[in-house]
Amino acid sequence: MLDQKTLEKYLSLCMDSAADFAEIYEELETKEIITMLNGRVENVNEAVTSGVGIRLLKGVQSVYAYSNETGEEAVLPLIRDLAAALGEGKAEKPVTLTRVEYENRHPVRIDFRTSSLEDKTRLLSRATDAAMAADDRIVKVQAVLLNVNQEVQISNSEGRLIGDTRVRTRMMVDAFAQEGDNFQSGADRPGAGMGLEFYEQTTPEETGREAARVAIVNLSAGDCPSGKMPVVIDNAFGGVIFHEACGHALEATSVAKNQSVFSGKFGQQIASPCVSAVDDGTIPNAWGSENIDDEGNFQQRRQLIKNGILTSYMIDRLGARRMGMAETGSGRRESYRYEPTSRMSNTFILEGGASFEELFEGIEKGLYAKKMGGGSVNPQTGEFNFSVGEGYLIENGKITKPVRGAALIGNGRDILMNIDRVCSNLERGQGMCGSASGSIPTDVGQPAIRVTSITVGGTANE
Amino acid sequence: MNKEKWIQAAAEGGFESFEIYESLSKERSLRWFSGEMETFVTSRVTGYALRGIYSGKMVSYATENPDDAQMDRILAVMKEQAAAITSEDESFILAPQETECVKNTHNFISPEAGKVKEALAYVEKQILAFDPRIVQVTHLEWSEEDNCRLITNSCGMRAEDAGRVQVLVAGAAAVAGEEVRDDFLVRTVENLSDFDLDAFVKKLGETVIAKFGASPVASGTYPVIIEKDAMTSLFAALSGMFSGEKIGKGLSPLRDKLDTQIFSELVTVIDNPRNADYVNLMNYDDEGCPTRAKTVVDKGTFSTILHSAKSAARMGTQSTGNGFKASYASAVDVRPQGCYIVPGVKSLEELEKEMGDGLVITDLAGLHAGIDHVTTDFSLQCSGYLVKNGVREKSVTLITIAANFLELMKQVRAVGSDLDWNYRSIAAPSILFEGIAVSGE
């Protein structure tokens, strides 16, 4: 990382322009991916990326330069380029930095960088063996171990100099089951903001068995029904419904420019009164957590919705300027190649009071979405989708036959009002979220919920 | 980075062969919002991906910080990887092969910054003036990217490819009462001075305004035209099925289907990274293997598996020049490039007349999640319009289409003539299908 004196020099040069704010984001990331197929290690790939992103702001205008060359001969021309792009204006505003120290909320015990490849590949072997042993019909298992160590240092013209180290690990197991010509798959992909000690609490065997279980269920799954019906969405990754239907539309990325269905709705009822939801980047060692956001502000717990009332947006620095509201520590980015913008961290619906059985009461024909895939949303219109990875029919209040994948679609404006029961079994699941500032790790989550009516995109038309 | 020094050190350290893949990308972009520049971005990034064969195993390491002082440490890390790899697949670092390179005839001329600002200001003004219901130009951006890759290896390879692309992107939102509609348009622009900005504005404006009154249709099975942009996204999402890597591992739905009928005989698929219409024309894949044209699906028959050096060796054949990486730091995979469904002779309007009553799907969403790549089952959110007696009747939104892609591609009634490459690496024209399950009301 650049030393304090050099950063002060660069920032002072940045501020010798029309800029009213300047920021330097430095990053050094080591990523290791090990892939295994049917117990054999196919590939071990290590990638080290390092670079710097320099941002100048003038009101709500921004100019941004990024490079992996950090010497003066590369950086000074970049700063001059940025200053010229901002237009006329010159005022010497020298910058003096003060380093901010804090206690790490996300300690790591077993560093993947110093663990042996043998130890790491053994984790994958354990998952593979458990998946293969789960059922004779499991014919293939693909297992991937991802580990990331990301060091960032952020300095700005307000005099702040602060750093963070984010460590993440994730195991992704895909199991393939075959019965005659019928070939299906199932997956499980747990992760955390932890070192390899994560696999002491979420064992590779559990992950392998879960992937196999879903593959076997899909062997006997029939066509999903089609049309509008009540849906019970289970916990953990079921929270992708909130992430897509509401989460993105509460990011200043779209709200600030009046491009969200929830723009201008602060303090209004946007969800059913049984829905309360938070975005919390402080949860110790969670997949979407970090000590500071990528603008150098401490992460926060943000209560987005309380009893159906919109109580907070997620707001980055530029969003705050546009909206005239306070920043919420939500400025995130995939890497130095992106400007930050407001993003989610760990986003979930809070526990309710219904029992799991109550969610199914009174449903003559519906869908139980036990496991979800990903989804997407257009925050402007509110239209969103997310996919069912493992589903079952609900017939007369009972879970019956398994059915295979369908997209569930709706409009965020309406769907949150259609949640009428929220259970108490809150859990979170891990995913990667894509938006204007790239792909970032986020948790989604919820207890099991019931949506009274949602369009299910199956093939079994009546 | 002193490449010769690294290659020599690798050889002295016991590597059977060694390769350095260097990638340089430079970008400039300007985003415009509410009458002024919103964001300007400039960048220059160089990345290096190292590969080597050690003890018969392919090992790899990528870095953006290729300090020669790190050389011994990095080579040691790569040797450790070799001990961990237990796959028996053979891997190769390729020797150079003779090829006559094809020149990219796309000529992207970089405009002055002032001209770009002028054009963006004009486009924003014209979009807002197109219709009083258009309330905002939600996204307006000009971007230019230069990329260059150079592959150097111990077998004497020195393969170089470079490319440039310029793109204009605009999005607009329109409001009528409680109804909000929006759309985006993206076009490559070789010469901004010649580019018809008015036609660009008209296309975007018409598309957005036509979406008003959109609502779902009743659930059922409908004849459907998947319009070219939507068909391109669907075909691109599933094109991994042709990969020799997936086929060799038994993970592709086409794993035992070579030389069998997989699509309608109206469908022919060609993969050609040297296709003159492809803006990112590539003479070499990311292993330095010369690229070439090949017929992947010949009138519905699956006739060519796409290969990298590794997947080809696994199946006892030769690379087809399809060893490509998702990014410079990724492992080499098998990917189609310059791949397309050969267009037919009927325009979209003619397809609509032939269909009579049915749906035209213009937008698909959720492709990253709503497709099962093992079975090719898909269920995707979509929008478009209803056609009655061959004429557009009303806009449709918040519906899904669901089918099995391989089954669907056997039910092609007609392939359109409207293939449009634009900025894409994979393309398809509009296609009329017999029937697809639709979920709506």
Side-chain angles (χ1 to χ4, degrees), chain A residues 149-202:
Chain A
N149 182 291
Q150 183 199 44
E151 292 172 34
V152 303
Q153 177 167 268
I154 302 155
S155 51
N156 66 36
S157 55
E158 290 173 350
R160 190 173 180 85
L161 172 60
I162 191 168
D164 194 5
T165 300
R166 294 91 174 243
V167 176
R168 294 191 171 94
T169 189
R170 194 177 190 194
M171 182 175 287
M172 294 166 281
V173 178
D174 286 78
F176 300 87
Q178 184 158 19
E179 197 162 43
D181 285 338
N182 191 0
F183 190 66
Q184 302 288 338
S185 64
D188 198 35
R189 300 185 175 129
M194 293 172 77
L196 299 179
E197 67 275 10
F198 173 62
Y199 302 105
E200 294 166 7
Q201 68 188 51
T202 300

Side-chain angles (χ1 to χ4, degrees), chain A residues 64 68 226 257 259 336 457, chain B residues 38 40 46 64 136 368 379 439:
Chain A
Y64 190 71
N68 49 6
S226 169
K257 285 151 70 170
Q259 293 171 2
Y336 70 90
Chain B
E38 181 190 6
F40 166 74
T46 309
E64 291 179 355
Q136 194 187 83
H368 63 293
S379 172
S439 289

Side-chain angles (χ1 to χ4, degrees), chain A residues 98-396:
Chain A
T98 304
R99 184 172 281 281
V100 176
E101 304 286 354
Y102 59 87
E103 193 179 323
N104 180 16
R105 297 178 74 103
H106 314 289
V108 163
R109 183 157 55 84
I110 306 175
D111 188 338
F112 77 90
R113 294 171 299 171
T114 50
S115 299
S116 70
L117 276 173
E118 195 183 332
D119 284 349
K120 287 178 279 195
T121 57
R122 195 174 308 125
L123 292 172
L124 291 175
S125 297
R126 287 169 54 190
T128 299
D129 291 346
M132 287 289 200
D135 195 291
D136 287 342
R137 291 168 288 177
I138 299 294
V139 297
K140 277 187 209 301
V141 179
Q142 188 163 70
V144 177
L145 184 65
L146 164 73
N147 285 292
V148 177
N149 182 291
Q150 183 199 44
E151 292 172 34
V152 303
Q153 177 167 268
I154 302 155
S155 51
N156 66 36
S157 55
E158 290 173 350
R160 190 173 180 85
L161 172 60
I162 191 168
D164 194 5
T165 300
R166 294 91 174 243
V167 176
R168 294 191 171 94
T169 189
R170 194 177 190 194
M171 182 175 287
M172 294 166 281
V173 178
D174 286 78
F176 300 87
Q178 184 158 19
E179 197 162 43
D181 285 338
N182 191 0
F183 190 66
Q184 302 288 338
S185 64
D188 198 35
R189 300 185 175 129
M194 293 172 77
L196 299 179
E197 67 275 10
F198 173 62
Y199 302 105
E200 294 166 7
Q201 68 188 51
T202 300
T203 66
E205 286 81 4
E206 283 170 50
T207 303
R209 280 194 292 267
E210 177 60 11
R213 184 192 68 74
V214 178
I216 295 300
V217 166
N218 281 336
L219 274 181
S220 57
D223 287 341
C224 209
S226 169
K228 281 196 167 163
M229 66 192 69
V231 177
V232 172
I233 302 172
D234 214 337
N235 61 3
F237 208 78
V240 72
I241 179 175
F242 184 82
H243 180 101
E244 301 301 350
C246 186
H248 278 296
L250 294 183
E251 292 166 337
T253 313
S254 52
V255 173
K257 285 151 70 170
N258 208 28
Q259 293 171 2
S260 163
V261 287
F262 298 127
S263 292
K265 294 260 171 38
F266 192 82
Q268 295 183 29
Q269 190 92 28
I270 63 164
S272 155
C274 64
V275 175
S276 295
V278 305
D279 178 80
D280 187 354
T282 68
I283 300 173
N285 297 108
W287 173 249
S289 290
E290 48 209 12
N291 287 295
I292 56 173
D293 73 357
D294 292 324
E295 296 183 303
N297 297 313
F298 287 114
Q299 266 289 358
Q300 298 175 22
R301 180 183 188 277
R302 295 156 281 263
Q303 175 108 36
L304 302 175
I305 296 175
K306 189 167 180 171
N307 302 325
I309 307 280
L310 174 53
T311 49
S312 177
Y313 294 113
M314 288 161 281
I315 308 176
D316 64 307
R317 182 178 288 271
L318 257 186
R321 288 185 175 204
R322 283 194 185 275
M323 294 165 70
M325 295 177 83
E327 295 169 52
T328 60
S330 299
R332 297 185 71 191
R333 61 182 108 189
E334 175 182 328
S335 72
Y336 70 90
R337 296 179 186 229
Y338 296 86
E339 286 185 88
T341 190
S342 46
R343 303 293 297 271
M344 289 176 269
S345 59
N346 306 298
T347 319
F348 47 96
I349 295 176
L350 294 173
E351 289 163 345
S355 68
F356 188 69
E357 293 69 31
E358 279 175 303
L359 269 50
F360 296 85
E361 280 173 6
I363 296 180
E364 275 184 35
K365 181 194 154 194
L367 180 72
Y368 167 45
K370 184 176 167 72
K371 240 179 140 83
M372 304 303 301
S376 64
V377 65
N378 177 345
Q380 183 89 56
T381 60
E383 290 178 1
F384 73 90
N385 63 83
F386 56 108
S387 294
V388 179
E390 180 187 353
Y392 298 82
L393 291 180
I394 302 172
E395 294 173 297
N396 299 314

Side-chain angles (χ1 to χ4, degrees), chain B residues 23 41 55 62 79-80 98 102 119 124 174 176 198 206 216 234 244 261 290 314 395-396 415 422 434:
Chain B
S23 156
V41 178
S55 298
K79 286 185 192 177
E80 268 179 48
E98 282 292 319
V102 170
E124 184 180 46
D198 291 323
E206 283 176 349
L234 182 62
Q261 192 84 14
R314 189 191 286 124
S395 289
V396 172
V415 176
N422 206 358
E434 297 286 359

